[in-house]
Amino acid sequence: MRRAIYPGSFDPVTNGHLDIIERGCKLFDELIIGILVNPDKKALFTIEERREMLHDALTEIDCGACRPLIEDFQGLLVKYAVERNADAILRGIRAISDYEYELQMALMNRRLEPRIETVFMMAGEAYSYVSSRLVKEVYQLGGTIDGLVPVSVEVRMRSKFSQS
Ligand code: PNS
């Protein structure tokens, strides 16, 4: 039984994340989507909203026999991975610019906890430029994010920005 943690901020989840989850499900028997609770980083969506968006978005993909769990965690990722008995940390890489940061994290995580492997998957080419940050910026400035995020996220974005 192979279990992986797919950690991230997911503020909000994008179709790029979903693509990694769907493909990651083919590699692992269990996938835990770990939302980082980071009080130092100002987020657009609350943890609960992010959890709900992820939950709704999962209905849009085919996870086969692997049923992804959605959790949140605080503190060190490797500590959480050990607590949850995970074998691996799953991360997506879009461009070479991601590589440096991801390499640093993977090596630090390996130093802290050699038992946990980091597994990288190349982002689907259709999403290689998509990030939560850009999606929020484009939407806020009136651009379309159609096809870049799950429907549930578009709906939430609309209500979030009509409130402010
Ligand atoms: O979606 P993100 O913001 O790129 O995800 C970053 C994340 C959550 C993977 C990273 O910030 C993280 O692992 N944070 C937990 C704290 C930690 O373990 N820091 C040391 C990393 S070497």
Side-chain angles (χ1 to χ4, degrees), residues 6-11 17 34-36 38 41 73-79 89 91 94 101-102 104-109 112 132:
Y6 179 45
S9 305
F10 304 106
D11 183 41
H17 293 125
I35 309 172
L36 174 69
N38 184 355
K41 199 167 156 188
F73 74 100
Q74 296 189 34
L76 270 186
L77 171 60
V78 283
K79 222 172 138 211
I89 291 165
R91 292 286 288 171
R94 290 163 299 192
Y101 171 58
E102 294 296 335
Q104 270 188 338
M105 281 205 297
L107 294 180
M108 181 61 84
N109 284 336
L112 293 167
S132 303

Side-chain angles (χ1 to χ4, degrees), residues 126-141:
Y127 310 114
S128 59
Y129 60 93
V130 180
S131 68
S132 303
R133 185 186 61 79
L134 265 189
V135 160
K136 285 182 282 192
E137 187 176 317
V138 167
Y139 188 85
Q140 225 167 337
L141 297 173

Side-chain angles (χ1 to χ4, degrees), residues 56-120:
D56 293 345
L58 288 181
T59 61
E60 295 184 23
I61 58 172
D62 177 11
C63 295
C66 158
R67 217 157 37 87
L69 292 174
I70 305 164
E71 298 185 350
D72 51 71
F73 74 100
Q74 296 189 34
L76 270 186
L77 171 60
V78 283
K79 222 172 138 211
Y80 168 60
V82 168
E83 275 165 19
R84 297 299 283 110
N85 232 342
D87 305 285
I89 291 165
L90 177 65
R91 292 286 288 171
I93 289 202
R94 290 163 299 192
I96 199 80
S97 48
D98 281 343
Y99 177 78
E100 236 173 286
Y101 171 58
E102 294 296 335
L103 178 71
Q104 270 188 338
M105 281 205 297
L107 294 180
M108 181 61 84
N109 284 336
R110 188 196 287 163
R111 183 176 194 276
L112 293 167
E113 198 52 69
R115 194 177 74 69
I116 310 276
E117 278 296 339
T118 300
V119 173
F120 291 114

